[in-house]
Amino acid sequence: LVLLRVWPKIGVESTKASSVKGGKAGTGFLLTRSGLIVTNWHVVSDAKQIAVIFPGWKETAETQIVLKDVVNDLAILRVSDTAKLVDVCHDLPFQLATAKDVVLGQRVSTVGYPLSTLLGSNPKFSEGVISSRSGIDDDPRWFQISAAIQPGSSGSPLFDQNGNIIGVVVATLDAAKAFQITNSIPQNVNWAIKSDYLLNLVQMIPNESIPSRMTAFSPEKAAACVALISAQ
């Protein structure tokens, strides 16, 4: 099996959605009103400058890395100028929750920025189910999901039916390379790191607490709290 992280280049010129002036792009979501944003480590690794832009913004906001978990491919950023968040995501429609009670076949959804230079800069919604409670080679840290993702979806929140964040989208199976090895084209084989690893990471940040949901969940409300990340 060949595992393709959602955001390295995938070879075809027209799908260079990861390229933002020569850099990388991915997805991040607002975790707190104090400006904490969650994404994957591979989206921002080795970057000298990391910027985010939320729906409706005309300009980006600079961020700094607060914490990283290289093993579990997670990173927490903070917006440098929190004044820019005044008109963003007034009421959080989701909250971070444990994934321990997630069951096989459970409905899930995600919002992110797949192939942004090809499909556009508006956030995209997709939904599916929990295909497996473990990842590649039975890795217990990951869920396998059928929700469609593309390069650029890295760092997207994975929601349950109630709007709880139960994971962070992290990887997809490279269908072309898998075909070369198995002579079969895989369909919707994607993974998310379970939210419990993010919960542990957040607890390491001094004077920060995980907020409760402020309003009822909807894809439209969630999209307002999900940012396109550019890392250079």
Side-chain angles (χ1 to χ4, degrees):
L1 293 180
V2 178
L3 187 65
L4 173 69
R5 290 290 186 186
V6 170
W7 191 246
K9 296 178 182 178
I10 56 176
V12 180
E13 186 68 24
S14 62
T15 58
K16 286 186 176 179
S18 60
S19 178
V20 181
K21 295 183 179 179
K24 296 185 291 184
T27 300
F29 58 92
L30 190 66
L31 187 62
T32 68
R33 294 296 306 169
S34 62
L36 291 184
I37 293 176
V38 176
T39 189
N40 288 145
W41 171 241
H42 74 261
V43 172
V44 298
S45 61
D46 302 321
K48 296 180 179 179
Q49 185 177 29
I50 306 168
V52 299
I53 185 166
F54 284 89
W57 280 15
K58 295 182 179 179
E59 298 181 352
T60 61
E62 297 300 315
T63 69
Q64 303 293 327
I65 297 174
V66 177
L67 278 177
K68 62 182 180 182
D69 182 346
V70 178
V71 173
N72 294 309
D73 201 0
L74 291 169
I76 298 178
L77 317 175
R78 189 186 296 277
V79 175
S80 301
D81 183 2
T82 55
K84 292 187 175 182
L85 297 175
V86 171
D87 296 323
V88 172
C89 190
H90 293 290
D91 298 317
L92 286 171
F94 48 69
Q95 67 183 61
L96 191 58
T98 180
K100 66 180 182 179
D101 296 325
V102 174
V103 297
L104 192 68
Q106 181 173 322
R107 300 294 302 181
V108 291
S109 61
T110 186
V111 177
Y113 293 87
L115 298 172
S116 57
T117 59
L118 182 66
L119 301 180
S121 59
N122 288 322
K124 307 296 189 295
F125 172 82
S126 67
E127 57 184 349
V129 299
I130 297 292
S131 303
S132 175
R133 297 189 70 254
S134 59
I136 192 168
D137 199 26
D138 294 326
D139 191 330
R141 299 171 300 162
W142 291 13
F143 289 126
Q144 183 180 323
I145 59 174
S146 66
I149 65 171
Q150 309 293 336
S153 296
S154 283
S156 300
L158 184 70
F159 304 112
D160 66 10
Q161 306 98 312
N162 300 315
N164 296 312
I165 296 175
I166 56 170
V168 181
V169 172
V170 67
T172 186
L173 189 64
D174 185 335
K177 292 184 178 178
F179 178 78
Q180 293 174 1
I181 296 171
T182 66
N183 202 34
S184 176
I185 299 176
Q187 298 180 16
N188 281 353
V189 182
N190 308 310
W191 293 279
I193 185 77
K194 293 177 181 177
S195 55
D196 299 87
Y197 298 93
L198 178 57
L199 282 165
N200 291 338
L201 198 60
V202 173
Q203 292 172 0
M204 299 179 188
I205 305 175
N207 304 317
E208 288 287 355
S209 59
I210 300 170
S212 299
R213 184 187 293 104
M214 301 175 185
T215 186
F217 175 81
S218 74
E220 192 73 27
K221 292 177 182 177
C225 306
V226 178
L228 174 63
I229 296 179
S230 59
Q232 300 181 40

